[in-house]
Amino acid sequence: MLYILAVLLVLVFFLPDLIGRLPALICGAVVIGFGFYVYNLWCKDPQEEANQEANSSMNEIIKPSHDMENIMLLDLLRERRSIRKFTDQKIEEETLDILIEAVLRSPSSRSLNPWEFVVVTDKDTIGALARSKTHGSSFLAGAPLAVVVCADPATSDVWVEDTSIASLLLHLCAADLGLGSCWIQIRNRQHDKKIDSDTYVKGILNLKPDMAVEAIVAIGYSAEDKSGHAADTLLYERVSYEKYGNRR
Ligand SMILES: Cc1cc2nc3c(=O)[nH]c(=O)nc-3n(C[C@H](O)[C@H](O)[C@H](O)COP(=O)(O)O)c2cc1C
């Protein structure tokens, strides 16, 4: 404060006479500005400085700890259900992109990645796919998105496992994005008495004859209110410890 008063005194009484009023005014503004800057540096509260530093470094590294990530997945699993009724809301392009990225991150045996995915949003095609089976596929007609999960069985002897994992990841990632979804089994299922579901779906999508369809995952915004399975319904009696049959 004393510094500012001293500068003001010099400016008011001496400088205008020496260099003229306007240059004196400009000089004054610059000198006072510099004074404030230096004063601020001196008077900064070290605690406040430390807090600011901590906050900015937290912003850079705020991500859940390993434990929290596990809990977040567990929370999702606790709420997850198969959803078969959907609203009319379309799935945004960005959301679809995330789903595709997620499914392409599926693990696969020997990293052979035998799967192929056909993303279908066309209403008529979805309608036709909804008739893949006599039971358990008709609800697909109300979904804005169907992802057909298929593979060339010649590329991997465990293509069934690999495509199943991919289908499950689609289901879980959909839930993570606030979407509902449901697996529709195609492999080993019948369209009608004569045609199997696999052949029927391949015909609709122009899949190559040597390809096989594992499942269709119906995805959309949920129009159902389902809660996760209650903890006391979980089949703990299916779990043995060390040797089969040893329960806790
Ligand atoms: C391998 C597999 C095949 C399934 N196939 C069908 C299906 O064809 N149609 C259907 O409506 N749901 C199907 N589902 C969904 C199951 O019916 C559902 O997961 C089960 O009833 C448990 O319900 P939740 O997922 O809500 O816990 C399938 C699920 C799995 C894992």
Side-chain angles (χ1 to χ4, degrees):
M1 209 58 193
L2 274 175
Y3 163 83
I4 294 169
L5 279 176
V7 172
L8 277 175
L9 269 175
V10 171
L11 288 176
V12 170
F13 289 106
F14 302 110
L15 259 191
D17 289 343
L18 293 173
I19 58 171
R21 263 197 192 155
L22 191 66
L25 218 72
I26 295 169
C27 272
V30 171
V31 171
I32 289 175
F34 181 70
F36 269 115
Y37 173 73
V38 174
Y39 176 79
N40 252 351
L41 279 186
W42 267 339
C43 298
K44 207 160 197 178
D45 178 2
Q47 186 55 46
E48 192 191 339
E49 218 173 328
N51 287 346
Q52 272 177 10
E53 240 171 67
N55 282 343
S56 69
S57 63
M58 261 169 72
N59 284 340
E60 279 162 27
I61 54 158
I62 279 188
K63 46 183 151 151
S65 70
H66 187 64
D67 283 353
M68 277 173 76
E69 275 179 274
N70 285 340
I71 290 167
M72 284 158 76
L73 177 60
L74 187 60
D75 280 344
L76 188 81
L77 294 174
R78 282 176 174 155
E79 284 169 21
R80 177 219 61 81
R81 292 299 306 275
S82 291
I83 297 299
R84 298 180 183 83
K85 288 188 188 131
F86 306 97
T87 67
D88 290 336
Q89 191 179 340
K90 278 192 180 151
I91 293 170
E92 305 75 14
E93 278 294 315
E94 314 85 70
T95 310
L96 181 57
D97 290 346
I98 295 173
L99 280 171
I100 292 168
E101 182 196 334
V103 82
L104 293 175
R105 291 185 183 280
S106 300
S108 70
S109 172
R110 288 182 283 155
S111 238
L112 287 174
N113 308 331
W115 16 250
E116 300 238 18
F117 307 95
V118 184
V119 176
V120 184
T121 54
D122 177 73
K123 266 264 151 226
D124 294 340
T125 314
I126 288 179
L129 291 172
R131 295 189 290 276
S132 298
K133 305 201 291 182
T134 41
H135 300 293
S137 64
S138 59
F139 70 90
L140 177 62
L145 172 67
V147 180
V148 181
V149 185
C150 42
D152 177 354
T155 57
S156 171
D157 57 342
V158 289
W159 69 273
V160 173
E161 288 85 342
D162 290 340
T163 49
S164 298
I165 288 167
S167 305
L168 180 67
L169 274 187
L170 270 177
H171 174 58
L172 293 179
C173 188
D176 205 19
L177 292 166
L179 296 161
S181 68
C182 187
W183 179 312
I184 297 169
Q185 181 69 25
I186 296 299
R187 190 180 61 86
N188 284 350
R189 294 291 180 268
Q190 287 295 125
H191 165 64
D192 57 24
K193 282 193 177 134
K194 287 186 189 145
I195 305 170
D196 60 51
S197 303
D198 176 88
T199 308
Y200 174 80
V201 171
K202 282 199 289 198
I204 293 168
L205 300 176
N206 299 338
L207 293 177
K208 290 183 261 172
D210 48 3
M211 289 177 83
V213 183
E214 169 62 30
I216 303 173
V217 183
I219 304 173
Y221 286 96
S222 175
E224 282 186 271
D225 194 15
K226 277 182 165 178
S227 26
H229 297 289
D232 59 8
T233 64
L234 301 181
L235 303 175
Y236 284 104
E237 68 275 18
R238 299 285 174 85
V239 184
S240 298
Y241 293 88
E242 314 306 342
K243 293 274 167 69
Y244 179 72
N246 287 345
R247 316 280 181 207
R248 264 191 193 159

